[in-house]
Amino acid sequence: DAKTTQPTSMDCAEGRAANLPCNHSTISGNEYVYWYRQIHSQGPQYIIHGLKNNETNEMASLIITEDRKSSTLILPHATLRDTAVYYCIVRVRNSGYALNFGKGTSLLVTP
Amino acid sequence: GAGVSQSPRYKVAKRGQDVALRCDPISGHVSLFWYQQALGQGPEFLTYFQNEAQLDKSGLPSDRFFAERPEGSVSTLKIQRTQQEDSAVYLCASSRSPPGERPGELFFGEGSRLTVL
């Protein structure tokens, strides 16, 4: 699976958009981009995934660059409850069973 | 229940003691995963079951770690002769279909926090 690089931490003001970047410059054509988040003392929670097109759901939007070497998770109106560690994971659909979470980005949403 | 349930939520064990951690996945979910999360780190894969078959145990750190899912539903992770380095949160996750069929989401439980003294 391709390696991902994320900033260690980010801040965002409540009500503003939170844009979380992820670099995956070695991604191959059949690898998906997944995002999970983990709120303190809870298990990780699935947010969204995509292959090449931008995706949106009730939680977030995922913007993948045309060359697919990077992506951005967008939380359009961050709330205090969005404070969490956000993990960007790249994997091949049929590559096996493990998700490599890495260390993620610790997002702090401030009042 | 509606989600993945794990028990106990907290376990304190003396070094050398055996522990067993239980996972009740979402009803009907084919896939079940165990992950280990050390303090300040992301979760790391331990093992995977498809129904009752353990298809991947490449992440188990030693032969002291053993997992089973005999009837394809509830799973137990057993750690024998616990060591201090086993202290971590053990997360269980389930998903509706096998990983290869769709890039589906995993539903995680809240984890079992093991502290080995």
Side-chain angles (χ1 to χ4, degrees):
Chain A
D1 294 339
K3 178 183 169 65
T4 62
T5 303
Q6 298 178 254
T8 302
S9 62
M10 294 181 64
D11 292 348
C12 177
E14 188 178 20
R16 305 295 293 268
N19 299 295
L20 293 98
C22 180
N23 285 325
H24 31 79
S25 59
T26 60
I27 193 170
S28 58
N30 60 347
E31 288 185 306
Y32 287 76
V33 180
Y34 292 78
W35 284 83
Y36 281 75
R37 75 178 183 184
Q38 188 171 23
I39 295 169
H40 184 61
S41 295
Q42 297 184 21
Q45 176 191 24
Y46 166 84
I47 301 173
I48 199 166
H49 74 274
L51 183 61
K52 60 176 81 171
N53 298 321
N54 297 337
E55 302 287 344
T56 295
N57 64 20
E58 64 278 3
M59 289 182 69
S61 294
L62 174 60
I63 308 298
I64 303 174
T65 58
E66 192 168 343
D67 63 8
R68 303 208 323 120
K69 293 186 177 183
S70 66
S71 60
T72 301
L73 179 75
I74 301 173
L75 308 179
H77 305 287
T79 71
L80 299 179
R81 288 174 297 178
D82 292 322
T83 292
V85 177
Y86 287 77
Y87 297 98
C88 170
I89 302 163
V90 173
R91 64 162 298 175
V92 177
R93 178 172 177 166
N94 296 320
S95 68
Y97 314 111
L99 286 178
N100 292 321
F101 281 83
K103 293 190 176 182
T105 296
S106 179
L107 174 69
L108 176 64
V109 180
T110 56
Chain B
V4 177
S5 177
Q6 293 188 245
S7 61
R9 286 293 315 278
Y10 304 93
K11 175 70 178 177
V12 178
K14 293 183 179 178
R15 191 174 59 182
Q17 188 177 355
D18 297 349
V19 300
L21 308 175
R22 176 188 168 103
C23 173
D24 279 272
I26 294 172
S27 178
H29 276 197
V30 167
S31 296
L32 186 145
F33 303 78
W34 284 98
Y35 281 79
Q36 180 191 57
Q37 186 169 25
L39 191 64
Q41 305 295 315
E44 294 197 358
F45 171 80
L46 293 178
T47 187
Y48 165 70
F49 289 85
Q50 183 174 318
N51 297 308
E52 69 279 3
Q54 189 174 21
L55 298 186
D56 188 345
K57 54 182 180 179
S58 61
L60 296 176
S62 77
D63 59 7
R64 296 186 295 103
F65 286 71
F66 172 76
E68 61 183 6
R69 193 186 185 197
E71 297 179 358
S73 177
V74 171
S75 178
T76 303
L77 176 67
K78 298 178 180 178
I79 309 173
Q80 297 177 321
R81 304 181 303 282
T82 52
Q83 303 295 314
Q84 285 188 318
E85 61 263 28
D86 300 334
S87 295
V89 175
Y90 291 86
L91 294 161
C92 177
S94 71
S95 72
R96 184 177 298 114
S97 53
E101 291 187 3
R102 55 180 293 168
E105 59 199 84
L106 299 186
F107 295 87
F108 281 83
E110 293 191 320
S112 293
R113 180 178 296 277
L114 172 65
T115 302
V116 182
L117 302 177

